[in-house]
Amino acid sequence: GEDVEQSLFLSVREGDSSVINCTYTDSSSTYLYWYKQEPGAGLQLLTYIFSNMDMKQDQRLTVLLNKKDKHLSLRIADTQTGDSAIYFCAESKNQGGKLIFGQGTELSVKP
Amino acid sequence: GAVVSQHPSRVICKSGTSVKIECRSLDFQATTMFWYRQFPKQSLMLMATSNEGSKATYEQGVEKDKFLINHASLTLSTLTVTSAHPEDSSFYICSAQSRTDTYEQYFGPGTRLTVT
C-alpha cells in the first residue's frame, strides 16, 4: 500500500540548518513534493523532485532523494523564525495525480 | 497568480443541518479540483477528485451521499456536508489544478467546520 512517514517534531535554533526526513513505501512514486503549512492556512508548494533525480537545490532549500531506501529529505539552510511551520512531504505516481501526504513535521525555530 | 480561495473560512452549524463550502480558482481555469480533510496534528486525507462537468471520484471510505461535490464550472467547486454530525468537524482544504500546469496543485486556505 501507499504510506508516507515523517517524524512529528523538529526544533532548531535560528541560523542553524534544519533537516526534515520522509520515507515512503510505494516504489512507483514518480513525483515527490515538499509543502509548507502555516497555522490556519492552506498548503504552499516549496519544491518537488522527480524520481530520476538525486538532488535539487533552490536557494536555501536542498532536497535529497535516495530512491533505493525510499528516503526523501528537505534541508533548510540558515533557518529563520519565519520558517516555523508544518512541513509535509507527499508523493504521487503520475503528473497531476493523487497526492499521498505524510503526517507533517512541525518545525519550531527558536531565536 | 494561481490563487485559490475558499468560502467560508470558518463555519459553525448545528447537528443535522447541511453546510456548503466553496472553492474558487481566481486567476486560472481548474480542470481538476481536489477536496481534502485534515484533523488536528494530522495529515491531509484526500476525500474526492472532481473534474469539471463530470461526477466526482470518491476515495474509499468517503460517503458520497454525505459529502456532495459539484464542479459546475472551470473556476468553482463546492463541497456540501449533508446532515452534519459533530464527527464531521474538521479542516477542509481544496486544491485546484490548472489545465496548463498539471505538476502542481494550488491549495486554498481551508475551511474550519465545527458541528455542535
Side-chain angles (χ1 to χ4, degrees):
Chain A
E2 304 157 328
D3 198 17
V4 181
E5 298 277 340
Q6 296 177 244
S7 53
L8 295 181
F9 299 101
L10 176 65
S11 180
V12 301
R13 291 218 170 270
E14 194 173 17
D16 289 350
S17 292
S18 308
V19 179
I20 302 171
N21 294 300
C22 172
T23 57
Y24 58 98
T25 57
D26 191 345
S27 56
S28 63
S29 298
T30 307
Y31 299 86
L32 296 135
Y33 303 82
W34 283 104
Y35 286 88
K36 178 182 180 182
Q37 185 182 34
E38 300 191 39
L43 273 67
Q44 172 196 355
L45 177 66
L46 291 177
T47 187
Y48 62 88
I49 190 169
F50 300 120
S51 59
N52 62 358
M53 298 168 66
D54 298 324
M55 186 183 91
K56 182 177 181 181
Q57 188 156 0
D58 184 2
Q59 299 182 340
R60 291 192 297 126
L61 305 179
T62 304
V63 178
L64 294 178
L65 174 61
N66 182 327
K67 197 174 178 184
K68 175 175 166 287
D69 293 340
K70 301 190 190 71
H71 181 266
L72 182 73
S73 68
L74 174 69
R75 179 176 179 270
I76 305 172
D78 186 25
T79 313
Q80 303 296 308
T81 53
D83 294 324
S84 294
I86 299 177
Y87 290 80
F88 290 94
C89 69
E91 59 94 2
S92 70
K93 286 189 178 53
N94 45 45
Q95 179 182 334
K98 168 180 156 179
L99 288 171
I100 306 296
F101 285 89
Q103 312 95 307
T105 299
E106 183 173 351
L107 174 64
S108 172
V109 182
K110 300 190 186 322
Chain B
V3 177
V4 176
S5 70
Q6 279 185 243
H7 178 78
S9 56
R10 290 178 179 272
V11 58
I12 300 172
C13 69
K14 291 187 184 302
S15 286
T17 62
S18 295
V19 62
K20 183 187 282 188
I21 301 169
E22 292 185 349
C23 176
R24 292 182 186 273
S25 57
L26 297 185
D27 49 4
F28 66 99
Q29 293 185 326
T31 47
T32 303
M33 287 185 170
F34 302 85
W35 286 96
Y36 296 85
R37 183 173 179 178
Q38 185 181 28
F39 291 103
K41 303 292 188 186
Q42 292 190 32
S43 184
L44 281 76
M45 301 299 296
L46 180 65
M47 299 174 66
T49 303
S50 74
N51 292 298
E52 184 263 340
S54 61
K55 288 186 179 179
T57 302
Y58 290 81
E59 294 299 301
Q60 194 171 5
V62 177
E63 298 175 59
K64 61 182 181 182
D65 294 330
K66 180 165 184 63
F67 298 100
L68 300 179
I69 291 171
N70 185 291
H71 190 163
S73 79
L74 283 171
T75 59
L76 174 64
S77 176
T78 60
L79 167 68
T80 301
V81 183
T82 62
S83 187
H85 290 140
E87 56 265 31
D88 298 326
S89 298
S90 191
F91 194 52
Y92 292 87
I93 302 178
C94 72
S95 70
Q97 197 168 64
S98 164
R99 65 163 70 199
T100 58
D101 177 11
T102 54
Y103 286 112
E104 184 169 355
Q105 293 181 26
Y106 299 97
F107 284 81
T111 296
R112 172 75 59 195
L113 170 63
T114 304
V115 184
T116 60

